[in-house]
Amino acid sequence: MLNYYKDIGQNFLINKEIIKKIIKFINPNKKKYFLEIGSGTGLLTKELSKYSNKIYSLDIDNNLIKLCKKNIPNVNFIKKDFLKFNFSIFKKKKTIIIGNIPYYISKKIIYKLINNYKYISKIYLVIQKELANNLLFKKKNKKISKTTILINCLFKIKILMNINNKNFYPKPKIKSTLIKLKSNYNKYNIINIKKFIHILNHIFFKKNKKIYNNIKKFLSIKEFKKININPNIRINKLNINKYCKIINYIIKNKIF
């Protein structure tokens, strides 16, 4: 049966000791709500269910859902594509997201999480090691992207551990990493995520340009001086605080 999932690019975490380490990082209890992206064969779900009965677990495969429901009765398994999942069912509850996510749709999943950041307290994801490193905002990272900026504006990111590919079936060719994202958006007073992304698209329209050249339709030289940011600075030289300062100013003061 698992050979089928190999064909569609899914890699199941099969080492129970690694799963226990992940659970230890998560530190679950009965008061916390969890949403799992991809039930898989239920190994991680089963371990998590020992500590909490407030678990929603999603998978698009009906056979896996049936298998998990049979083996783990105290979990709410839902046959659903995570990319189409409606977070509003959690209402005002802050949820912890967990998942060993398919590599080929990692960025789509991350953007889904970004767009629903207000429902989330923490995220624990097993993703491609290269992607994990690119999400870190640091000077040595030459691949800083819109995704890097968004993640660091909304969350505090931490690399928890690297996971050898021998711990998966089928065994992937790429390396994997467990990351933790902790909600941090209040620090930067993010107002409207859709507008935030819209402006960020303009900022990153031409990566080697000066910041003013990319967003002069939004901000004048005079306004740059007003918020104490050099209009001639190149976008890869800005820190997270300055990205947020520029974008929040535009959202508050401009109509677009």
Side-chain angles (χ1 to χ4, degrees):
M1 179 181 176
L2 292 183
N3 285 331
Y4 163 74
Y5 298 100
K6 181 177 181 179
D7 293 337
I8 62 173
Q10 284 187 272
N11 304 88
F12 298 100
L13 191 54
I14 56 173
N15 187 318
K16 292 183 179 180
E17 292 306 311
I18 295 293
I19 287 170
K20 286 179 181 178
K21 284 184 181 181
I22 294 173
I23 296 297
K24 192 172 181 181
F25 279 121
I26 295 171
N27 189 27
N29 62 50
K30 291 182 179 180
K31 293 182 180 179
K32 297 175 181 177
Y33 283 81
F34 294 91
L35 175 64
E36 183 181 27
I37 305 170
S39 311
T41 56
L43 286 181
L44 180 60
T45 328
K46 189 172 184 177
E47 191 65 27
L48 184 64
S49 70
K50 295 176 182 178
Y51 305 89
S52 173
N53 59 1
K54 297 175 181 177
I55 304 169
Y56 295 81
S57 185
L58 308 180
D59 207 288
I60 59 173
D61 191 280
N62 199 44
N63 290 324
L64 291 176
I65 289 290
K66 287 179 179 178
L67 175 69
C68 290
K69 281 184 175 180
K70 182 179 178 181
N71 295 332
I72 320 165
N74 61 327
V75 169
N76 188 359
F77 289 101
I78 304 170
K79 183 184 180 300
K80 188 79 175 178
D81 182 347
F82 172 71
L83 297 176
K84 298 176 182 178
F85 179 72
N86 188 346
F87 271 80
S88 65
I89 69 165
F90 294 116
K91 297 180 181 177
K92 295 181 179 180
K93 302 180 184 74
K94 290 287 186 177
T95 308
I96 297 172
I97 309 295
I98 60 171
N100 167 34
I101 63 177
Y103 302 118
Y104 71 101
I105 56 167
S106 293
K107 283 195 175 181
K108 287 184 179 180
I109 288 173
I110 287 170
Y111 266 86
K112 174 76 173 183
L113 294 169
I114 285 169
N115 279 295
N116 291 279
Y117 69 98
K118 288 187 178 180
Y119 296 100
I120 298 167
S121 61
K122 295 176 186 176
I123 302 169
Y124 296 86
L125 293 181
V126 177
I127 61 175
Q128 184 178 351
K129 184 179 180 181
E130 183 183 2
L131 175 58
N133 289 333
N134 288 341
L135 291 178
L136 295 173
F137 189 89
K138 53 186 180 180
K139 291 181 179 179
K140 292 182 180 179
N141 182 3
K142 295 181 180 179
K143 293 186 178 180
I144 289 175
S145 64
K146 292 177 288 185
T147 312
T148 310
I149 303 306
L150 282 165
I151 284 292
N152 284 271
C153 285
L154 297 170
F155 302 96
K156 185 176 180 181
I157 181 170
K158 185 177 182 181
I159 302 289
L160 296 179
M161 69 173 176
N162 294 318
I163 304 175
N164 193 296
N165 58 1
K166 70 181 181 182
N167 296 300
F168 297 87
Y169 183 85
K171 184 178 176 181
K173 294 179 181 179
I174 57 180
K175 296 178 180 179
S176 299
T177 295
L178 173 67
I179 63 169
K180 174 185 176 182
L181 302 171
K182 184 178 180 181
S183 179
N184 198 31
Y185 75 93
N186 283 332
K187 179 179 178 180
Y188 297 107
N189 298 312
I190 306 301
I191 304 165
N192 183 310
I193 192 61
K194 288 185 179 180
K195 290 183 178 181
F196 198 97
I197 293 172
H198 176 75
I199 298 164
L200 200 57
N201 286 335
H202 282 273
I203 291 175
F204 273 82
F205 179 63
K206 292 183 179 178
K207 292 185 180 181
N208 62 340
K209 291 288 186 178
K210 295 173 183 178
I211 181 70
Y212 173 69
N213 290 335
N214 281 359
I215 57 168
K216 56 188 176 183
K217 68 176 286 186
F218 295 116
L219 285 188
S220 66
I221 296 289
K222 185 178 180 180
E223 287 173 308
F224 268 101
K225 291 179 179 178
K226 182 178 180 181
I227 57 177
N228 198 29
I229 292 176
N230 179 3
N232 294 315
I233 195 170
R234 296 192 182 276
I235 64 170
N236 61 347
K237 300 296 182 182
L238 292 167
N239 59 32
I240 292 298
N241 186 57
K242 287 182 178 178
Y243 276 107
C244 292
K245 192 174 183 179
I246 291 168
I247 296 173
N248 280 338
Y249 178 85
I250 294 171
I251 292 172
K252 286 179 182 178
N253 296 281
K254 304 289 177 175
I255 299 173
F256 61 93

